[in-house]
Amino acid sequence: LAPEFDIIQAMIDARKDSGLTQKELAHRTGIAQSDISKLEHGNANPSLRTLQRLAAGMGKKLRIEFTSA
């Protein structure tokens, strides 16, 4: 489950670093605040499109990479 927790923590850290509340991010992205909360609590799995929308709403770029095991 480590990759899932890493993604969740990265989303939370990026939002906080951007100085945004969940409500503000919801307004910027059109994603419901309740859905952002579910994502941040690990109660939902984001699609790649959702991650891109979140990144754009925070003024960030999404980067996904494969690394050696």
Short mmCIF file of all heavy atoms in Angstrom, two decimals:
data_model
loop_
_atom_site.label_atom_id
_atom_site.label_comp_id
_atom_site.label_asym_id
_atom_site.label_seq_id
_atom_site.Cartn_x
_atom_site.Cartn_y
_atom_site.Cartn_z
N LEU A 1 0.80 -1.21 0.00
CA LEU A 1 0.00 0.00 0.00
C LEU A 1 0.84 1.27 0.00
O LEU A 1 0.28 2.36 -0.06
CB LEU A 1 -0.94 0.02 1.21
CG LEU A 1 -2.03 -1.05 1.22
CD1 LEU A 1 -2.80 -1.00 2.53
CD2 LEU A 1 -2.96 -0.88 0.05
N ALA A 2 2.14 1.12 0.08
CA ALA A 2 3.02 2.29 0.14
C ALA A 2 2.82 3.26 -1.02
O ALA A 2 2.75 4.47 -0.80
CB ALA A 2 4.48 1.86 0.24
N PRO A 3 2.69 2.79 -2.28
CA PRO A 3 2.49 3.75 -3.37
C PRO A 3 1.21 4.57 -3.21
O PRO A 3 1.20 5.77 -3.48
CB PRO A 3 2.42 2.87 -4.62
CG PRO A 3 3.16 1.64 -4.26
CD PRO A 3 2.88 1.43 -2.80
N GLU A 4 0.15 3.94 -2.73
CA GLU A 4 -1.11 4.66 -2.53
C GLU A 4 -0.94 5.74 -1.46
O GLU A 4 -1.39 6.87 -1.63
CB GLU A 4 -2.24 3.70 -2.14
CG GLU A 4 -2.71 2.82 -3.27
CD GLU A 4 -1.92 1.53 -3.41
OE1 GLU A 4 -0.90 1.35 -2.70
OE2 GLU A 4 -2.30 0.70 -4.24
N PHE A 5 -0.29 5.39 -0.37
CA PHE A 5 -0.07 6.37 0.70
C PHE A 5 0.86 7.49 0.24
O PHE A 5 0.68 8.64 0.63
CB PHE A 5 0.48 5.70 1.96
CG PHE A 5 -0.52 4.83 2.66
CD1 PHE A 5 -0.24 3.50 2.91
CD2 PHE A 5 -1.75 5.34 3.07
CE1 PHE A 5 -1.17 2.69 3.55
CE2 PHE A 5 -2.68 4.53 3.72
CZ PHE A 5 -2.40 3.21 3.95
N ASP A 6 1.83 7.16 -0.60
CA ASP A 6 2.73 8.19 -1.15
C ASP A 6 1.95 9.20 -2.00
O ASP A 6 2.20 10.40 -1.92
CB ASP A 6 3.84 7.55 -1.98
CG ASP A 6 4.85 6.79 -1.14
OD1 ASP A 6 4.89 6.98 0.10
OD2 ASP A 6 5.60 5.99 -1.72
N ILE A 7 1.03 8.70 -2.80
CA ILE A 7 0.22 9.58 -3.65
C ILE A 7 -0.66 10.47 -2.78
O ILE A 7 -0.77 11.68 -3.00
CB ILE A 7 -0.62 8.77 -4.65
CG1 ILE A 7 0.29 8.13 -5.69
CG2 ILE A 7 -1.68 9.66 -5.33
CD1 ILE A 7 -0.38 7.14 -6.59
N ILE A 8 -1.31 9.86 -1.78
CA ILE A 8 -2.18 10.63 -0.88
C ILE A 8 -1.38 11.73 -0.19
O ILE A 8 -1.80 12.89 -0.16
CB ILE A 8 -2.84 9.70 0.16
CG1 ILE A 8 -3.85 8.79 -0.52
CG2 ILE A 8 -3.49 10.52 1.27
CD1 ILE A 8 -4.33 7.63 0.35
N GLN A 9 -0.22 11.38 0.35
CA GLN A 9 0.60 12.38 1.05
C GLN A 9 1.08 13.47 0.11
O GLN A 9 1.12 14.64 0.47
CB GLN A 9 1.77 11.71 1.77
CG GLN A 9 2.46 12.63 2.75
CD GLN A 9 1.50 13.10 3.85
OE1 GLN A 9 0.88 12.31 4.53
NE2 GLN A 9 1.38 14.41 4.00
N ALA A 10 1.43 13.07 -1.11
CA ALA A 10 1.88 14.06 -2.10
C ALA A 10 0.75 15.04 -2.44
O ALA A 10 0.99 16.25 -2.59
CB ALA A 10 2.38 13.37 -3.36
N MET A 11 -0.48 14.53 -2.55
CA MET A 11 -1.62 15.41 -2.83
C MET A 11 -1.83 16.39 -1.69
O MET A 11 -2.03 17.59 -1.91
CB MET A 11 -2.91 14.59 -3.03
CG MET A 11 -2.97 13.84 -4.33
SD MET A 11 -4.57 13.03 -4.67
CE MET A 11 -5.14 12.45 -3.11
N ILE A 12 -1.81 15.90 -0.47
CA ILE A 12 -2.02 16.75 0.71
C ILE A 12 -0.91 17.79 0.81
O ILE A 12 -1.17 18.98 1.01
CB ILE A 12 -2.10 15.90 1.99
CG1 ILE A 12 -3.35 15.02 1.96
CG2 ILE A 12 -2.08 16.79 3.23
CD1 ILE A 12 -3.37 13.94 3.04
N ASP A 13 0.34 17.35 0.66
CA ASP A 13 1.48 18.27 0.76
C ASP A 13 1.40 19.35 -0.33
O ASP A 13 1.65 20.53 -0.04
CB ASP A 13 2.80 17.51 0.64
CG ASP A 13 3.08 16.62 1.84
OD1 ASP A 13 2.42 16.77 2.89
OD2 ASP A 13 3.97 15.75 1.71
N ALA A 14 1.07 18.96 -1.55
CA ALA A 14 1.00 19.93 -2.65
C ALA A 14 -0.11 20.95 -2.39
O ALA A 14 0.08 22.14 -2.64
CB ALA A 14 0.77 19.20 -3.97
N ARG A 15 -1.24 20.48 -1.90
CA ARG A 15 -2.35 21.40 -1.61
C ARG A 15 -1.96 22.39 -0.53
O ARG A 15 -2.17 23.60 -0.66
CB ARG A 15 -3.61 20.64 -1.20
CG ARG A 15 -4.79 21.56 -0.88
CD ARG A 15 -6.05 20.80 -0.52
NE ARG A 15 -5.91 19.90 0.60
CZ ARG A 15 -5.88 20.30 1.88
NH1 ARG A 15 -5.95 21.57 2.20
NH2 ARG A 15 -5.77 19.40 2.85
N LYS A 16 -1.37 21.88 0.54
CA LYS A 16 -0.97 22.76 1.64
C LYS A 16 0.15 23.71 1.22
O LYS A 16 0.14 24.88 1.59
CB LYS A 16 -0.55 21.93 2.86
CG LYS A 16 -1.75 21.25 3.52
CD LYS A 16 -1.36 20.48 4.74
CE LYS A 16 -2.58 19.87 5.42
NZ LYS A 16 -2.23 19.11 6.62
N ASP A 17 1.10 23.22 0.42
CA ASP A 17 2.18 24.07 -0.08
C ASP A 17 1.63 25.19 -0.97
O ASP A 17 2.22 26.27 -1.05
CB ASP A 17 3.21 23.26 -0.87
CG ASP A 17 4.08 22.38 0.01
OD1 ASP A 17 4.08 22.57 1.25
OD2 ASP A 17 4.74 21.48 -0.55
N SER A 18 0.51 24.91 -1.62
CA SER A 18 -0.14 25.91 -2.47
C SER A 18 -0.98 26.88 -1.65
O SER A 18 -1.51 27.85 -2.20
CB SER A 18 -1.02 25.22 -3.51
OG SER A 18 -0.24 24.41 -4.36
N GLY A 19 -1.11 26.61 -0.36
CA GLY A 19 -1.88 27.49 0.51
C GLY A 19 -3.38 27.40 0.30
O GLY A 19 -4.10 28.37 0.54
N LEU A 20 -3.84 26.24 -0.17
CA LEU A 20 -5.25 26.07 -0.48
C LEU A 20 -5.95 25.16 0.52
O LEU A 20 -5.37 24.18 0.98
CB LEU A 20 -5.41 25.46 -1.88
CG LEU A 20 -4.89 26.27 -3.05
CD1 LEU A 20 -4.89 25.43 -4.32
CD2 LEU A 20 -5.72 27.52 -3.24
N THR A 21 -7.20 25.48 0.79
CA THR A 21 -8.05 24.55 1.54
C THR A 21 -8.67 23.59 0.53
O THR A 21 -8.63 23.82 -0.69
CB THR A 21 -9.18 25.30 2.27
OG1 THR A 21 -10.03 25.91 1.28
CG2 THR A 21 -8.63 26.35 3.22
N GLN A 22 -9.27 22.54 1.03
CA GLN A 22 -9.98 21.62 0.14
C GLN A 22 -11.08 22.36 -0.61
O GLN A 22 -11.29 22.13 -1.81
CB GLN A 22 -10.58 20.46 0.93
CG GLN A 22 -9.57 19.47 1.44
CD GLN A 22 -10.21 18.33 2.20
OE1 GLN A 22 -11.41 18.31 2.46
NE2 GLN A 22 -9.40 17.35 2.57
N LYS A 23 -11.77 23.25 0.09
CA LYS A 23 -12.86 24.00 -0.53
C LYS A 23 -12.35 24.89 -1.66
O LYS A 23 -12.96 24.96 -2.73
CB LYS A 23 -13.58 24.84 0.52
CG LYS A 23 -14.80 25.56 0.01
CD LYS A 23 -15.52 26.28 1.14
CE LYS A 23 -16.76 27.00 0.63
NZ LYS A 23 -17.49 27.66 1.70
N GLU A 24 -11.23 25.55 -1.44
CA GLU A 24 -10.65 26.41 -2.48
C GLU A 24 -10.20 25.59 -3.69
O GLU A 24 -10.41 25.98 -4.84
CB GLU A 24 -9.48 27.21 -1.92
CG GLU A 24 -9.90 28.26 -0.90
CD GLU A 24 -8.74 28.83 -0.11
OE1 GLU A 24 -7.72 28.12 0.10
OE2 GLU A 24 -8.85 29.99 0.31
N LEU A 25 -9.59 24.44 -3.41
CA LEU A 25 -9.16 23.57 -4.50
C LEU A 25 -10.36 23.04 -5.27
O LEU A 25 -10.33 22.96 -6.50
CB LEU A 25 -8.31 22.41 -3.96
CG LEU A 25 -7.72 21.46 -4.99
CD1 LEU A 25 -6.86 22.21 -6.02
CD2 LEU A 25 -6.91 20.37 -4.30
N ALA A 26 -11.43 22.72 -4.56
CA ALA A 26 -12.65 22.26 -5.21
C ALA A 26 -13.19 23.33 -6.15
O ALA A 26 -13.58 23.03 -7.29
CB ALA A 26 -13.70 21.90 -4.16
N HIS A 27 -13.18 24.57 -5.71
CA HIS A 27 -13.66 25.67 -6.53
C HIS A 27 -12.82 25.83 -7.79
O HIS A 27 -13.35 26.04 -8.89
CB HIS A 27 -13.66 26.97 -5.72
CG HIS A 27 -14.13 28.16 -6.49
ND1 HIS A 27 -15.45 28.35 -6.84
CD2 HIS A 27 -13.45 29.21 -7.01
CE1 HIS A 27 -15.55 29.46 -7.53
NE2 HIS A 27 -14.34 30.01 -7.64
N ARG A 28 -11.52 25.68 -7.66
CA ARG A 28 -10.61 25.85 -8.80
C ARG A 28 -10.72 24.71 -9.80
O ARG A 28 -10.48 24.90 -10.99
CB ARG A 28 -9.16 25.91 -8.33
CG ARG A 28 -8.80 27.19 -7.63
CD ARG A 28 -7.33 27.16 -7.31
NE ARG A 28 -6.92 28.41 -6.68
CZ ARG A 28 -5.67 28.82 -6.64
NH1 ARG A 28 -4.71 28.10 -7.18
NH2 ARG A 28 -5.37 29.96 -6.05
N THR A 29 -11.01 23.50 -9.32
CA THR A 29 -10.98 22.32 -10.19
C THR A 29 -12.34 21.84 -10.65
O THR A 29 -12.43 21.08 -11.60
CB THR A 29 -10.30 21.15 -9.46
OG1 THR A 29 -11.05 20.83 -8.29
CG2 THR A 29 -8.86 21.46 -9.11
N GLY A 30 -13.39 22.24 -9.94
CA GLY A 30 -14.71 21.71 -10.25
C GLY A 30 -14.93 20.33 -9.67
O GLY A 30 -15.93 19.68 -9.97
N ILE A 31 -14.00 19.87 -8.85
CA ILE A 31 -14.14 18.58 -8.15
C ILE A 31 -14.76 18.87 -6.80
O ILE A 31 -14.31 19.78 -6.09
CB ILE A 31 -12.76 17.90 -7.98
CG1 ILE A 31 -12.13 17.61 -9.35
CG2 ILE A 31 -12.88 16.62 -7.15
CD1 ILE A 31 -10.68 17.16 -9.29
N ALA A 32 -15.77 18.13 -6.42
CA ALA A 32 -16.46 18.38 -5.16
C ALA A 32 -15.48 18.28 -3.98
O ALA A 32 -14.60 17.41 -3.97
CB ALA A 32 -17.60 17.39 -4.97
N GLN A 33 -15.66 19.17 -3.00
CA GLN A 33 -14.80 19.14 -1.81
C GLN A 33 -14.89 17.79 -1.12
O GLN A 33 -13.89 17.26 -0.64
CB GLN A 33 -15.20 20.27 -0.86
CG GLN A 33 -14.32 20.39 0.38
CD GLN A 33 -14.78 19.51 1.53
OE1 GLN A 33 -15.97 19.31 1.72
NE2 GLN A 33 -13.84 19.00 2.29
N SER A 34 -16.07 17.20 -1.11
CA SER A 34 -16.23 15.89 -0.47
C SER A 34 -15.42 14.82 -1.19
O SER A 34 -14.88 13.90 -0.56
CB SER A 34 -17.71 15.48 -0.41
OG SER A 34 -18.26 15.41 -1.72
N ASP A 35 -15.29 14.93 -2.51
CA ASP A 35 -14.48 13.98 -3.27
C ASP A 35 -12.99 14.19 -2.99
O ASP A 35 -12.23 13.22 -2.90
CB ASP A 35 -14.75 14.10 -4.76
CG ASP A 35 -16.14 13.59 -5.14
OD1 ASP A 35 -16.71 12.78 -4.37
OD2 ASP A 35 -16.65 14.03 -6.19
N ILE A 36 -12.57 15.44 -2.85
CA ILE A 36 -11.17 15.71 -2.49
C ILE A 36 -10.87 15.13 -1.11
O ILE A 36 -9.82 14.52 -0.89
CB ILE A 36 -10.88 17.22 -2.55
CG1 ILE A 36 -10.97 17.70 -4.01
CG2 ILE A 36 -9.50 17.54 -1.95
CD1 ILE A 36 -10.88 19.20 -4.19
N SER A 37 -11.81 15.30 -0.19
CA SER A 37 -11.64 14.73 1.15
C SER A 37 -11.52 13.21 1.09
O SER A 37 -10.66 12.62 1.76
CB SER A 37 -12.82 15.13 2.04
OG SER A 37 -12.70 14.56 3.32
N LYS A 38 -12.36 12.57 0.30
CA LYS A 38 -12.29 11.11 0.16
C LYS A 38 -10.93 10.68 -0.37
O LYS A 38 -10.35 9.70 0.11
CB LYS A 38 -13.39 10.61 -0.78
CG LYS A 38 -14.77 10.66 -0.18
CD LYS A 38 -15.81 10.23 -1.20
CE LYS A 38 -17.21 10.47 -0.69
NZ LYS A 38 -18.23 10.17 -1.72
N LEU A 39 -10.43 11.41 -1.36
CA LEU A 39 -9.11 11.09 -1.92
C LEU A 39 -8.02 11.23 -0.87
O LEU A 39 -7.16 10.36 -0.74
CB LEU A 39 -8.80 12.00 -3.11
CG LEU A 39 -9.64 11.78 -4.37
CD1 LEU A 39 -9.40 12.91 -5.36
CD2 LEU A 39 -9.30 10.44 -4.99
N GLU A 40 -8.08 12.33 -0.12
CA GLU A 40 -7.04 12.59 0.88
C GLU A 40 -7.11 11.63 2.07
O GLU A 40 -6.12 11.46 2.77
CB GLU A 40 -7.12 14.04 1.35
CG GLU A 40 -6.67 15.02 0.29
CD GLU A 40 -6.54 16.44 0.80
OE1 GLU A 40 -6.80 16.71 2.00
OE2 GLU A 40 -6.17 17.32 -0.02
N HIS A 41 -8.26 11.03 2.29
CA HIS A 41 -8.39 10.06 3.38
C HIS A 41 -8.23 8.62 2.90
O HIS A 41 -8.38 7.68 3.68
CB HIS A 41 -9.74 10.23 4.08
CG HIS A 41 -9.78 11.45 4.96
ND1 HIS A 41 -10.26 12.66 4.53
CD2 HIS A 41 -9.37 11.63 6.23
CE1 HIS A 41 -10.16 13.53 5.51
NE2 HIS A 41 -9.60 12.95 6.55
N GLY A 42 -7.95 8.44 1.62
CA GLY A 42 -7.72 7.11 1.09
C GLY A 42 -8.99 6.32 0.86
O GLY A 42 -8.95 5.09 0.73
N ASN A 43 -10.12 7.02 0.77
CA ASN A 43 -11.40 6.34 0.58
C ASN A 43 -11.86 6.33 -0.87
O ASN A 43 -12.99 5.96 -1.15
CB ASN A 43 -12.48 7.00 1.45
CG ASN A 43 -12.17 6.84 2.92
OD1 ASN A 43 -11.66 5.82 3.35
ND2 ASN A 43 -12.45 7.86 3.70
N ALA A 44 -10.99 6.74 -1.77
CA ALA A 44 -11.29 6.73 -3.20
C ALA A 44 -9.97 6.66 -3.96
O ALA A 44 -8.94 7.07 -3.45
CB ALA A 44 -12.07 7.98 -3.60
N ASN A 45 -10.03 6.12 -5.16
CA ASN A 45 -8.84 6.03 -6.01
C ASN A 45 -8.97 7.03 -7.15
O ASN A 45 -9.89 6.92 -7.95
CB ASN A 45 -8.69 4.61 -6.58
CG ASN A 45 -8.35 3.61 -5.52
OD1 ASN A 45 -7.51 3.87 -4.67
ND2 ASN A 45 -9.00 2.45 -5.55
N PRO A 46 -8.04 7.98 -7.23
CA PRO A 46 -8.14 8.99 -8.28
C PRO A 46 -7.73 8.45 -9.64
O PRO A 46 -6.83 7.61 -9.75
CB PRO A 46 -7.17 10.07 -7.82
CG PRO A 46 -6.14 9.31 -7.06
CD PRO A 46 -6.90 8.20 -6.37
N SER A 47 -8.40 8.92 -10.67
CA SER A 47 -7.98 8.60 -12.03
C SER A 47 -6.82 9.52 -12.39
O SER A 47 -6.56 10.53 -11.71
CB SER A 47 -9.14 8.82 -13.00
OG SER A 47 -9.46 10.20 -13.07
N LEU A 48 -6.16 9.20 -13.46
CA LEU A 48 -5.08 10.06 -13.95
C LEU A 48 -5.63 11.44 -14.29
O LEU A 48 -5.02 12.46 -13.97
CB LEU A 48 -4.42 9.42 -15.18
CG LEU A 48 -3.27 10.19 -15.81
CD1 LEU A 48 -2.16 10.44 -14.80
CD2 LEU A 48 -2.73 9.42 -17.00
N ARG A 49 -6.80 11.48 -14.88
CA ARG A 49 -7.44 12.76 -15.23
C ARG A 49 -7.71 13.59 -13.97
O ARG A 49 -7.47 14.80 -13.97
CB ARG A 49 -8.75 12.48 -15.98
CG ARG A 49 -9.58 13.70 -16.25
CD ARG A 49 -9.00 14.53 -17.39
NE ARG A 49 -9.88 15.67 -17.64
CZ ARG A 49 -9.48 16.92 -17.65
NH1 ARG A 49 -8.22 17.21 -17.46
NH2 ARG A 49 -10.32 17.90 -17.88
N THR A 50 -8.17 12.95 -12.90
CA THR A 50 -8.43 13.67 -11.65
C THR A 50 -7.13 14.23 -11.08
O THR A 50 -7.09 15.37 -10.63
CB THR A 50 -9.13 12.76 -10.63
OG1 THR A 50 -10.39 12.36 -11.17
CG2 THR A 50 -9.33 13.45 -9.31
N LEU A 51 -6.08 13.44 -11.11
CA LEU A 51 -4.78 13.92 -10.61
C LEU A 51 -4.30 15.11 -11.42
O LEU A 51 -3.75 16.06 -10.87
CB LEU A 51 -3.75 12.79 -10.64
CG LEU A 51 -3.98 11.65 -9.64
CD1 LEU A 51 -2.97 10.52 -9.89
CD2 LEU A 51 -3.89 12.15 -8.21
N GLN A 52 -4.52 15.08 -12.74
CA GLN A 52 -4.12 16.20 -13.59
C GLN A 52 -4.92 17.45 -13.25
O GLN A 52 -4.37 18.55 -13.20
CB GLN A 52 -4.31 15.84 -15.06
CG GLN A 52 -3.32 14.80 -15.54
CD GLN A 52 -3.64 14.29 -16.94
OE1 GLN A 52 -4.80 14.10 -17.29
NE2 GLN A 52 -2.60 14.05 -17.73
N ARG A 53 -6.21 17.29 -13.02
CA ARG A 53 -7.06 18.44 -12.65
C ARG A 53 -6.63 19.02 -11.31
O ARG A 53 -6.59 20.25 -11.14
CB ARG A 53 -8.52 18.01 -12.60
CG ARG A 53 -9.13 17.78 -13.96
CD ARG A 53 -10.52 17.20 -13.89
NE ARG A 53 -11.48 18.10 -13.26
CZ ARG A 53 -12.68 17.74 -12.87
NH1 ARG A 53 -13.10 16.50 -13.05
NH2 ARG A 53 -13.49 18.61 -12.30
N LEU A 54 -6.31 18.16 -10.35
CA LEU A 54 -5.86 18.63 -9.05
C LEU A 54 -4.55 19.39 -9.18
O LEU A 54 -4.38 20.46 -8.60
CB LEU A 54 -5.72 17.46 -8.07
CG LEU A 54 -7.01 16.80 -7.62
CD1 LEU A 54 -6.72 15.50 -6.89
CD2 LEU A 54 -7.81 17.74 -6.73
N ALA A 55 -3.61 18.82 -9.92
CA ALA A 55 -2.32 19.48 -10.11
C ALA A 55 -2.51 20.85 -10.76
O ALA A 55 -1.93 21.84 -10.30
CB ALA A 55 -1.40 18.60 -10.97
N ALA A 56 -3.32 20.93 -11.79
CA ALA A 56 -3.56 22.20 -12.47
C ALA A 56 -4.20 23.21 -11.52
O ALA A 56 -3.83 24.39 -11.51
CB ALA A 56 -4.44 21.98 -13.70
N GLY A 57 -5.11 22.75 -10.69
CA GLY A 57 -5.77 23.63 -9.72
C GLY A 57 -4.82 24.18 -8.68
O GLY A 57 -5.06 25.25 -8.11
N MET A 58 -3.73 23.47 -8.44
CA MET A 58 -2.72 23.92 -7.48
C MET A 58 -1.58 24.66 -8.17
O MET A 58 -0.60 25.04 -7.52
CB MET A 58 -2.17 22.71 -6.71
CG MET A 58 -3.19 22.04 -5.82
SD MET A 58 -2.50 20.68 -4.88
CE MET A 58 -2.67 19.32 -6.03
N GLY A 59 -1.70 24.82 -9.49
CA GLY A 59 -0.62 25.49 -10.23
C GLY A 59 0.61 24.62 -10.34
O GLY A 59 1.73 25.11 -10.41
N LYS A 60 0.40 23.32 -10.36
CA LYS A 60 1.51 22.37 -10.42
C LYS A 60 1.37 21.48 -11.64
O LYS A 60 0.33 21.44 -12.29
CB LYS A 60 1.55 21.52 -9.17
CG LYS A 60 1.71 22.39 -7.90
CD LYS A 60 2.14 21.58 -6.73
CE LYS A 60 2.31 22.44 -5.50
NZ LYS A 60 3.50 23.26 -5.52
N LYS A 61 2.43 20.75 -11.94
CA LYS A 61 2.45 19.81 -13.06
C LYS A 61 2.54 18.40 -12.48
O LYS A 61 3.32 18.16 -11.54
CB LYS A 61 3.67 20.10 -13.93
CG LYS A 61 3.81 19.21 -15.12
CD LYS A 61 5.02 19.61 -15.93
CE LYS A 61 5.24 18.63 -17.06
NZ LYS A 61 6.43 18.97 -17.85
N LEU A 62 1.73 17.51 -12.99
CA LEU A 62 1.75 16.11 -12.54
C LEU A 62 2.86 15.36 -13.27
O LEU A 62 3.00 15.46 -14.49
CB LEU A 62 0.39 15.45 -12.84
CG LEU A 62 0.28 13.97 -12.47
CD1 LEU A 62 0.39 13.79 -10.96
CD2 LEU A 62 -1.01 13.40 -12.99
N ARG A 63 3.66 14.62 -12.50
CA ARG A 63 4.71 13.79 -13.08
C ARG A 63 4.61 12.40 -12.47
O ARG A 63 4.63 12.27 -11.25
CB ARG A 63 6.09 14.40 -12.81
CG ARG A 63 7.19 13.60 -13.48
CD ARG A 63 8.53 14.18 -13.19
NE ARG A 63 8.90 13.80 -11.82
CZ ARG A 63 9.90 14.29 -11.15
NH1 ARG A 63 10.66 15.22 -11.67
NH2 ARG A 63 10.17 13.89 -9.93
N ILE A 64 4.52 11.41 -13.30
CA ILE A 64 4.48 10.01 -12.86
C ILE A 64 5.68 9.33 -13.49
O ILE A 64 5.96 9.51 -14.67
CB ILE A 64 3.18 9.33 -13.30
CG1 ILE A 64 1.98 10.03 -12.65
CG2 ILE A 64 3.19 7.84 -12.94
CD1 ILE A 64 0.64 9.57 -13.13
N GLU A 65 6.38 8.53 -12.71
CA GLU A 65 7.57 7.89 -13.26
C GLU A 65 7.68 6.46 -12.75
O GLU A 65 7.13 6.10 -11.71
CB GLU A 65 8.82 8.67 -12.90
CG GLU A 65 9.09 8.77 -11.42
CD GLU A 65 10.30 9.62 -11.10
OE1 GLU A 65 10.44 10.71 -11.69
OE2 GLU A 65 11.12 9.19 -10.27
N PHE A 66 8.36 5.65 -13.53
CA PHE A 66 8.69 4.29 -13.14
C PHE A 66 10.15 4.28 -12.70
O PHE A 66 11.00 4.87 -13.36
CB PHE A 66 8.51 3.33 -14.32
CG PHE A 66 7.08 3.13 -14.72
CD1 PHE A 66 6.52 3.94 -15.69
CD2 PHE A 66 6.31 2.16 -14.14
CE1 PHE A 66 5.20 3.78 -16.07
CE2 PHE A 66 4.99 1.98 -14.50
CZ PHE A 66 4.43 2.80 -15.47
N THR A 67 10.42 3.64 -11.57
CA THR A 67 11.79 3.55 -11.08
C THR A 67 12.15 2.08 -10.82
O THR A 67 11.27 1.23 -10.76
CB THR A 67 11.97 4.34 -9.77
OG1 THR A 67 11.08 3.81 -8.79
CG2 THR A 67 11.66 5.82 -9.98
N SER A 68 13.40 1.83 -10.66
CA SER A 68 13.84 0.46 -10.37
C SER A 68 13.29 0.02 -9.04
O SER A 68 13.19 0.80 -8.09
CB SER A 68 15.36 0.38 -10.36
OG SER A 68 15.88 0.77 -11.60
N ALA A 69 12.97 -1.26 -8.95
CA ALA A 69 12.41 -1.82 -7.72
C ALA A 69 13.47 -1.99 -6.67
O ALA A 69 14.61 -2.11 -6.88
CB ALA A 69 11.74 -3.16 -8.01
#
